[in-house]
Structure formats: structure tokens, C-alpha cells
Amino acid sequence: MTNEEHQLKFPHVFLFGAASASYQVEGAANKDGKGPTNWDVFSKIPGKTFEGTNDDIAVDHYHRYKEDIRLMAEMGLESYRFSVSWAYFACR
């Protein structure tokens, strides 16, 4: 078989994209009135996360989103699914 015979073909309506979760990328844990989420509290308990890591900075998508979106466009991604965090007290 040739390489062409092994190539996957996606329908023309298929969109290649990326996804992120707020806790993993957002950072800015205490910016613009954001209060603590359950993960903010949990990650600060000693021994609960690898090497005591938390989301205080993460990959700082909160401040770098324009650069991140530019990079995704340069990669040829056509969609981006993301979430934003909500503080517990804001949801009462």
C-alpha cells in the first residue's frame, strides 16, 4: 500500500480546532473580581496536586489570549472551544 492509500480524509465540513479548560490555562486567579473556585481552594491544600502546582498563573491565557489565538490561526486551526471560570459566590 502507498502512503496515499493510508491517508485519512475528513469531510469538508470537519473543522480542526483546539480546546482548553479555564483552570488549566486561564491564570489571573485574583484579577478583575474573580473569586476562588472549588479548584482554586482544592489546589492550595498541601499534597493534593503535583509539586503543589495551582492555577494562579497557569499558562496565563487571561493576559495572552490574543497571542494564543494568533498562534492557533497560524497553525491553521479553524475553531476553539474554551471555558471560563466562575467564582462560587457569584453563582449563588
Side-chain angles (χ1 to χ4, degrees), residues 8-73:
L8 291 175
K9 296 192 180 197
F10 292 90
H12 72 283
V13 295
F14 188 89
L15 298 177
F16 282 93
S20 67
S22 62
Y23 180 79
Q24 295 169 327
V25 300
E26 199 172 74
N30 300 309
K31 298 285 184 177
D32 295 327
K34 178 181 177 265
T37 67
N38 59 334
W39 280 108
D40 293 319
V41 174
F42 178 81
S43 69
K44 304 265 187 329
I45 299 171
K48 293 296 183 180
T49 63
F50 178 71
E51 296 182 353
T53 57
N54 61 55
D55 71 328
D56 288 353
I57 299 173
V59 297
D60 203 20
H61 188 59
Y62 182 87
H63 293 106
R64 300 172 180 253
Y65 71 93
K66 290 179 183 178
E67 177 185 0
D68 293 342
I69 292 170
R70 182 184 55 76
L71 290 168
M72 287 185 266

